[in-house]
């Protein structure tokens, strides 16, 4: 397949990151229009596909080149439907939802979310203790999994090789975009593994406490501004204050 020459890419979470303060979202896109380069858009969200599409419509967001939905378990590229199949194949090798669900049901304090997703099991947790109990039971079993706790409420249990970080790395590798100027943006726990991939990243000013606790790192910029305002701030910090890298 022909590889696109992508020089700049924004891989961003939606709720609480790109979306949250409407005026700041449109200011960010105005700013991108003024750049002498194109910014490839990748949305990386916890929402499922239909719910993401509703949000895109409601908030009048541009359509991304790629959508990674369901906490990094699904991946959609209109121009390359096979991408989803390749990604799915890697996930399904180590995915045993029946066993995970059985273990979770033996714990108290978790209510299943009503979502159509097939490569994740997601719950609302009543307390931190409820999450600790599930973690203990899962780690005592032999079932492969990855558990992500976000915003003091959402628990996502995924195949061990899924999640926003793994999905984004897979995408960049598949497309040959690893050398582009990538900015990763997020606000909560499910963004953690993509923020710590080693690409320039921003934790927006309104982030949840689990991201406030991230250790400092030169590639992690803590924005003052909220939501898309923080993305704008970080973009200037990483890509406009110093000369941009050569195009690939
Ligand atoms: C979004 C999703 C929810 C998920 C949460 C954390 O809110 O709608 O299903 O649990 O993100 O990843
Ligand atoms: Mg978010």
């Amino acid at each position: 397949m022909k590889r696109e020459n992508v020089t700049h890419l924004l891989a961003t979470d939606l709720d609480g990151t790109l979306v949250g303060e409407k005026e700041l979202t449109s200011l960010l896109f105005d700013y991108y229009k003024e750049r002498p380069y194109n910014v490839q858009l990748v949305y990386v969200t916890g929402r499922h596909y239909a719910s993401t599409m509703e949000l895109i419509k409601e908030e009048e967001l541009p359509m991304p080149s790629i959508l990674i939905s369901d906490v990094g378990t699904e991946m959609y590229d209109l121009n390359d439907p096979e991408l989803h199949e390749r990604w799915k194949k890697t996930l399904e090798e180590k995915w045993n939802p029946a066993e995970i669900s059985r273990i979770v049901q033996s714990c108290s304090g978790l209510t299943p979310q009503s979502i159509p997703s097939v490569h994740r099991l997601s719950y609302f947790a009543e307390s931190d203790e409820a999450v600790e109990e599930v973690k203990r039971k899962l780690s005592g079993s032999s079932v492969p999994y990855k558990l992500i706790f976000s915003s003091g409420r959402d628990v996502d249990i995924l195949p061990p090789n899924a999640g926003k970080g793994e999905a984004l790395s897979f995408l960049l590798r598949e497309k040959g975009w690893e050398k582009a100027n990538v900015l990763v943006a997020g606000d909560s726990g499910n963004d953690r593994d993509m923020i710590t991939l080693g690409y320039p990243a921003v934790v927006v000013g309104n982030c949840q406490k689990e991201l406030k606790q991230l250790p400092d790192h030169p590639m992690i910029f803590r924005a003052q501004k909220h939501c898309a305002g923080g993305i704008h701030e970080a973009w200037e910090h990483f890509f406009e204050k110093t000369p941009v890298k050569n195009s690939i």
Side-chain angles (χ1 to χ4, degrees), residues 224-236:
Q224 296 291 319
K225 293 195 186 141
H226 288 196
C227 305
I231 300 178
H232 186 168
E233 214 184 312
W235 196 273
E236 284 275 298

Side-chain angles (χ1 to χ4, degrees), residues 203-216:
V203 173
V204 292
N206 53 303
C207 71
Q208 298 289 327
K209 76 166 191 281
E210 64 266 17
L211 287 195
K212 290 210 169 89
Q213 292 159 355
L214 265 185
D216 285 336

Side-chain angles (χ1 to χ4, degrees), residues 13 15-17 187-188 191:
D13 168 52
D15 297 88
T17 306
D187 75 312
S188 80
D191 301 313

Side-chain angles (χ1 to χ4, degrees), residues 1-133:
M1 201 201 327
K2 191 177 160 294
R3 296 209 147 169
E4 283 163 85
N5 181 28
V6 170
T7 61
H8 292 77
L9 187 150
L10 173 68
T12 183
D13 168 52
L14 296 177
D15 297 88
T17 306
L18 182 64
V19 174
E21 299 209 16
K22 218 166 179 158
E23 203 175 315
L24 295 177
T25 310
S26 51
L27 281 174
L28 177 70
F29 287 116
D30 290 346
Y31 170 77
Y32 281 157
K33 278 190 203 123
E34 289 161 12
R35 297 304 94 200
Y37 45 78
N38 285 328
V39 179
Q40 191 89 355
L41 278 182
V42 177
Y43 294 162
V44 195
T45 176
R47 290 180 179 237
H48 60 79
Y49 182 82
S51 156
T52 311
M53 287 304 160
E54 268 170 37
L55 183 74
I56 289 177
K57 204 166 153 205
E58 264 166 40
E59 298 291 325
E60 300 171 284
L61 300 176
M63 280 303 284
S65 313
I66 316 281
L67 167 63
I68 295 174
S69 70
D70 293 277
V71 205
T73 59
E74 310 296 337
M75 197 176 291
Y76 305 93
D77 176 354
L78 280 183
N79 299 314
D80 178 14
E82 284 298 306
L83 180 75
H84 188 236
E85 293 307 309
R86 293 199 293 279
W87 170 242
K88 222 170 92 172
K89 218 168 135 218
T90 68
L91 295 192
E92 287 180 347
E93 282 161 13
K94 292 184 188 154
W95 184 224
N96 187 347
E99 180 58 11
I100 293 173
S101 168
R102 194 191 61 74
I103 294 172
V104 177
Q105 276 169 34
S106 75
C107 306
S108 51
L110 290 187
T111 315
Q113 293 183 19
S114 119
I115 45 168
S117 316
V118 291
H119 296 112
R120 66 166 164 140
L121 291 167
S122 297
Y123 303 85
F124 296 123
E126 256 168 37
S127 61
D128 291 3
E129 291 70 39
V131 183
E132 286 312 312
E133 186 190 354

